[in-house]
Amino acid sequence: MCTAAVYKTKDFYFGRTLDYDFSYGEEVVITPRSYAFHFRNAEVMERHYAVIGMAHVEGDYPLYYDAVNERGLGMAGLNFVGNAQYRKAVQGKDNVATFEFIPWILVQCATVREARERLARLNLTEDSFNRDLPVAQLHWIIADREETIVIEAVKEGMKIYDNPVGVLTNNPPFGQQLFQLNNYMQLSPKEPRNHFSEKLSLRSYSRGMGALGLPGDLSSPSRFVRAVFTKMNSVSGNSEAESVSQFFHILGSVEQQRGCCEVGDGKYEITVYTSCCNADKGIYYYTTYENRQITAIDMQKEDLEGNQLIKFPLVQGEQIKMQN
């Protein structure tokens, strides 16, 4: 279970939470421009845009969870179990395995508009990376500073949704998630007025009552509503520190604490990490469940002309600053 969001002040920000009951050993990975991408059903791509994001590296291949390229295009894959459906390779289509979908888009598209052109010829295939890493059931969010879309490969075929709220969680399909916002149109960051009855003298007795009815559980539909409400009403300054801080607060509204979502055998789903990338500058920020201090990696400080992956293991363990 996960939540992804976009946010824009002076710069454009893209990020997500990864909620799961264990880690695959992910790390921040920069793919430089001359790293050779070997796709299952396409030619090797030896020259492309540089990419930074969170990935599990298997056999020197970056399996990206979320990433942003040097042109400011971001993409993330989120669980979509039970609804995702992929197909065998089809002649005349761009056949792309799900594990290579994020790099396939980001290494060659600078904007959502360019991504749409690629998606028109796309067929997401049922190829797994290997026997130990089977096909993941996902849907994806793609965004730049101008627009956001959602891609879902389902039984009926591939669906591409415009995403006016800039948020994605998990099930149900995105169209249903968006529709359910109609049930919450009465929510407001302002103090509520009495619409119950003119015959009753009703009044607010606490701050924040305009948001009464905002769902607080950990289900994906509830997290979607909560993240959209928080993001759409969010206010911050334009500085980098203010923008990044506010982005983490937005996703903090849906993070999961150990013990609140049991998945069996004494295991609990938690927010393994939260990311925020300044897509304009290529700076990737993250926190982990065990480390609340924000860590940053600037892709522009690395050799983006290289041909080897640049990897940064996550900083784990709580970083507490003693003040006395």
Side-chain angles (χ1 to χ4, degrees):
M1 310 295 280
C2 313
T3 305
V6 304
Y7 187 58
K8 186 164 65 174
T9 55
K10 178 174 63 68
D11 289 339
F12 171 63
Y13 299 87
F14 179 92
R16 56 95 57 84
T17 64
L18 179 79
D19 304 322
Y20 213 54
D21 56 306
F22 65 90
S23 167
Y24 281 96
E26 56 276 345
E27 50 195 337
V28 179
V29 179
I30 297 173
T31 301
R33 300 181 187 117
S34 295
Y35 171 89
F37 263 111
H38 295 261
F39 298 109
R40 289 289 173 90
N41 296 289
E43 295 181 358
V44 178
M45 192 172 296
E46 297 184 348
R47 185 72 180 172
H48 49 72
Y49 295 134
V51 175
I52 184 171
M54 192 72 74
H56 166 63
V57 177
E58 183 82 8
D60 198 43
Y61 193 95
L63 299 169
Y64 278 111
Y65 308 174
D66 61 273
V68 170
N69 69 17
E70 61 182 302
R71 297 298 298 273
L73 184 67
M75 185 171 178
L78 285 74
N79 272 343
F80 193 47
V81 177
N83 282 302
Q85 186 166 318
Y86 313 122
R87 290 164 171 76
K88 297 184 182 300
V90 176
Q91 189 173 2
K93 288 278 193 177
D94 289 334
N95 296 292
V96 178
T98 56
F99 65 83
E100 58 191 12
F101 187 27
I102 290 179
W104 187 80
I105 288 290
L106 293 186
V107 299
Q108 58 185 331
C109 298
T111 63
V112 170
R113 182 176 180 178
E114 291 183 12
R116 285 184 189 271
E117 295 174 359
R118 295 284 180 180
L119 293 170
R121 303 187 299 274
L122 178 68
N123 175 48
L124 284 171
T125 70
E126 57 190 7
D127 298 299
S128 62
F129 185 79
N130 58 35
R131 285 190 298 178
D132 296 326
L133 293 172
V135 180
Q137 297 186 61
L138 306 171
H139 58 175
W140 294 265
I141 181 172
I142 303 177
D144 59 23
R145 66 166 32 250
E146 301 299 329
E147 60 177 323
T148 304
I149 60 175
V150 170
I151 297 90
E152 294 180 346
V154 294
K155 181 179 180 180
E156 297 77 17
M158 179 170 291
K159 296 184 180 295
I160 302 173
Y161 298 92
D162 292 326
N163 184 341
V165 299
V167 171
L168 183 66
T169 56
N170 311 106
N171 287 315
F174 182 72
Q176 297 178 42
Q177 295 272 37
L178 202 59
F179 181 81
Q180 74 163 334
L181 294 179
N182 289 290
N183 297 328
Y184 300 93
M185 67 173 73
Q186 80 282 1
L187 299 185
S188 170
K190 302 181 184 299
E191 290 299 305
R193 297 174 60 186
N194 177 18
H195 297 289
F196 189 88
S197 174
E198 295 179 353
K199 299 177 182 179
L200 296 175
S201 179
L202 303 178
R203 61 182 178 83
S204 297
Y205 54 85
S206 171
R207 290 183 176 182
M209 292 181 66
L212 275 175
L214 182 67
D217 62 86
L218 298 177
S219 67
S220 53
S222 293
R223 283 185 287 106
F224 181 79
V225 175
R226 196 158 67 252
V228 171
F229 178 82
T230 306
K231 182 238 174 179
M232 299 295 281
N233 291 290
S234 187
V235 177
S236 72
N238 284 326
S239 73
E240 184 73 350
E242 291 171 295
S243 301
V244 171
S245 175
Q246 189 70 347
F247 190 93
F248 276 99
H249 283 299
I250 291 169
L251 288 183
S253 70
V254 293
E255 67 182 14
Q256 299 195 30
Q257 299 78 28
R258 182 178 286 115
C260 295
C261 180
E262 187 171 0
V263 295
D265 298 327
K267 297 179 181 179
Y268 300 93
E269 186 166 274
I270 62 172
T271 298
V272 177
Y273 76 83
T274 303
S275 67
C276 166
C277 188
N278 182 325
D280 293 334
K281 294 183 170 67
I283 304 174
Y284 192 93
Y285 302 89
Y286 72 88
T287 62
T288 69
Y289 192 86
E290 305 296 345
N291 178 17
R292 306 295 294 168
Q293 183 183 76
I294 297 173
T295 303
I297 296 165
D298 186 346
M299 72 185 299
Q300 301 299 336
K301 293 183 178 180
E302 302 299 323
D303 178 16
L304 298 184
E305 292 297 331
N307 60 10
Q308 300 295 318
L309 297 178
I310 304 165
K311 298 179 289 186
F312 297 86
L314 300 190
V315 178
Q316 301 284 3
E318 201 63 73
Q319 309 292 305
I320 299 175
K321 179 178 180 180
M322 297 299 297
Q323 196 171 359
N324 64 0

